[in-house]
Amino acid sequence: MGHLSGLGHRILLWLRLLILKVKEGTKPYNKTVHVEFSVKQSVHHQETSPCRGACKLNMASMGILLFFTVIYIRTGHTNTAFVKVECQAGKVGVYGQQSLLQCVVKTTQDNTEIRVVTWKKEGLYDPLLVFYKEKIVPRQGYSFAEPSWNERNMNVSLLITNTSVKHEGVYKCEVMTNSGDGSDSTSLKVTAKYKKPTIHSDPQKILSNTDVTLTCKSSEGYPKGQLRWFDEHNVEWTISSQKEEDQTESGLFNLCSKLYLRKGSTFTKYTCKVFNASDGKEDEATFEVHNASGSVGNITANKSHLPATKIVAPVVVIGSLIVGLLLALLIYRKRSQSDHRGLATSDYDDGDQEGDKTCQVSLA
């Protein structure tokens, strides 16, 4: 089945070349193409002929006979075992730069010459590049990788001069030589790096008793990426944001994300990071909320997210104040007791006997 499929591809290729030659107003270049053209004429005659019944059956039989005759004639002059086309499995191209789809022809025969090369992209009918009868016919933006390429050069790689999103897809290279035919496919993926994000606030002047909306934008990237929000402690807030994206005519994406902050937000810094389709960070931007009050608002982090310094620092300050007050009170009491004892001793030493009796009476 694989061999018949390869034959079908070759027949279609010869038919395409025949159409090109007919448009140029010249005769087909060999008998095989002429026979294939006869097949098309036979089928067309069958569809337009007024014959009915047995006449239609005879015409169909003749068409089938000619078709297998074409296969026999074509395979009688080629051997696919001698020629093999090998292409690199896949390529990642960068938007706006050159992309190279590498394909080489490998043959076991000496003095091999390439007669036909066609490069096609899946989904497009017309070929991107054709080499036929020592003439290269490329579409704009495509060429052989080597400028001085000729029929003895087995490097049939395709060069895309200015890569864009539309170039993404599957490509097929078909080659015919004097030793045999071959074909292979490869693919191209396109990437474009997103620009550095920008952040602006609404309102621009932030007050402690107002709600704030932070808007982050990043543009001209591909494939579609994502904007994500983080606070000063690297806690993610993307779930509280609203995202938007639109695709331009060139195929690139513009990303936008809005983060809504309620009044009394606890954080002073918010970072917007842009990630590509592979979840790799490409760039970031930081916004500082200079007038943040420091109180916990409706969308602030949970206590488990708060850093240890925010909890320990107030405790240390309050504890220090308590210890200081206790020490001051203790020192005051000691001084008061020592002053009282000194005053009592002075009265006993300097007083007369009556004073002693009075002290004794009072004690009694």
Side-chain angles (χ1 to χ4, degrees):
M1 292 296 293
H3 182 64
L4 290 177
S5 177
L7 292 175
H9 284 302
R10 289 196 295 272
I11 292 171
L12 291 175
L13 180 58
W14 282 105
L15 287 173
R16 287 199 297 269
L17 293 175
L18 174 63
I19 294 172
L20 290 175
K21 295 303 297 178
V22 170
K23 289 182 178 180
E24 295 174 1
T26 60
K27 295 181 179 181
Y29 73 95
N30 65 19
K31 293 182 180 180
T32 305
V33 177
H34 179 69
V35 175
E36 293 173 358
F37 184 59
S38 300
V39 174
K40 293 186 63 179
Q41 287 182 326
S42 174
V43 174
H44 177 71
H45 179 70
Q46 178 186 351
E47 294 175 351
T48 57
S49 174
C51 291
R52 296 292 186 271
C55 182
K56 283 189 175 182
L57 181 61
N58 291 335
M59 293 299 295
S61 302
M62 289 178 62
I64 295 173
L65 178 62
L66 286 173
F67 178 79
F68 283 101
T69 303
V70 170
I71 295 177
Y72 175 78
I73 295 174
R74 186 73 192 103
T75 56
H77 293 280
T78 60
N79 193 334
T80 56
F82 295 149
V83 174
K84 184 178 181 181
V85 178
E86 292 185 357
C87 296
Q88 193 178 39
K91 175 72 176 181
V92 177
V94 179
Y95 185 91
Q97 299 183 12
Q98 292 183 344
S99 294
L100 180 64
L101 303 181
Q102 297 181 343
C103 288
V104 295
V105 179
K106 294 187 176 181
T107 177
T108 59
Q109 302 295 308
D110 296 332
N111 300 322
T112 299
E113 291 186 5
I114 296 177
R115 293 177 177 174
V116 180
V117 177
T118 59
W119 271 98
K120 291 198 67 178
K121 182 177 182 293
E122 190 175 272
L124 298 179
Y125 178 78
D126 294 330
L128 307 174
L129 183 147
V130 174
F131 169 75
Y132 171 60
K133 279 198 171 182
E134 301 183 357
K135 183 179 180 181
I136 301 174
V137 183
R139 290 177 62 177
Q140 185 177 2
Y142 302 90
S143 66
F144 281 117
E146 298 184 10
S148 58
W149 188 90
N150 58 63
E151 64 273 11
R152 292 188 177 274
N153 191 336
M154 299 295 109
N155 182 5
V156 293
S157 301
L158 180 69
L159 180 66
I160 302 174
T161 56
N162 186 17
T163 305
S164 62
V165 175
K166 68 179 182 181
H167 291 129
E168 191 170 64
V170 178
Y171 292 77
K172 186 174 184 179
C173 177
E174 298 176 327
V175 177
M176 290 184 178
T177 73
N178 59 349
S179 301
D181 309 338
S183 65
D184 199 7
S185 298
T186 184
S187 62
L188 176 67
K189 292 185 177 181
V190 179
T191 62
K193 185 178 180 180
Y194 284 89
K195 290 187 176 181
K196 183 178 180 65
T198 58
I199 305 176
H200 70 272
S201 65
D202 183 23
Q204 293 184 354
K205 185 177 181 180
I206 301 175
L207 301 177
S208 58
N209 60 345
T210 59
D211 295 340
V212 180
T213 301
L214 299 182
T215 302
C216 178
K217 294 182 178 181
S218 182
S219 60
E220 298 182 5
Y222 187 85
K224 183 173 69 174
Q226 184 184 19
L227 295 174
R228 296 162 65 180
W229 290 94
F230 298 85
D231 62 26
E232 58 195 84
H233 309 295
N234 206 33
V235 177
E236 187 168 355
W237 289 92
T238 307
I239 193 173
S240 301
S241 65
Q242 180 180 354
K243 64 179 182 178
E244 301 174 1
E245 59 270 331
D246 66 276
Q247 193 170 14
T248 63
E249 292 182 358
S250 63
L252 301 179
F253 284 94
N254 295 330
L255 306 179
C256 178
S257 178
K258 294 183 178 181
L259 180 64
Y260 301 97
L261 305 178
R262 300 289 179 85
K263 51 188 175 182
S265 175
T266 187
F267 303 112
T268 60
K269 290 183 180 180
Y270 291 90
T271 301
C272 176
K273 302 180 181 180
V274 57
F275 290 80
N276 56 33
S278 301
D279 204 31
K281 190 188 81 171
E282 293 194 346
D283 215 329
E284 64 180 49
T286 300
F287 184 87
E288 295 187 7
V289 184
H290 295 288
N291 293 334
S293 64
S295 60
V296 178
N298 292 335
I299 64 167
T300 55
N302 297 328
K303 291 182 178 180
S304 59
H305 291 159
L306 294 176
T309 54
K310 284 187 174 288
I311 301 175
V312 174
V315 174
V316 171
V317 173
I318 295 173
S320 300
L321 291 175
I322 295 174
V323 172
L325 290 174
L326 290 175
L327 289 175
L329 181 61
L330 182 62
I331 293 173
Y332 175 76
R333 291 184 63 181
K334 285 185 178 181
R335 287 182 179 179
S336 298
Q337 290 177 359
S338 62
D339 291 344
H340 180 72
R341 290 176 181 175
L343 179 61
T345 304
S346 175
D347 291 341
Y348 285 121
D349 292 342
D350 297 337
D352 52 11
Q353 294 180 356
E354 294 181 357
D356 293 341
K357 291 180 180 180
T358 303
C359 183
Q360 291 175 0
V361 171
S362 64
L363 291 173

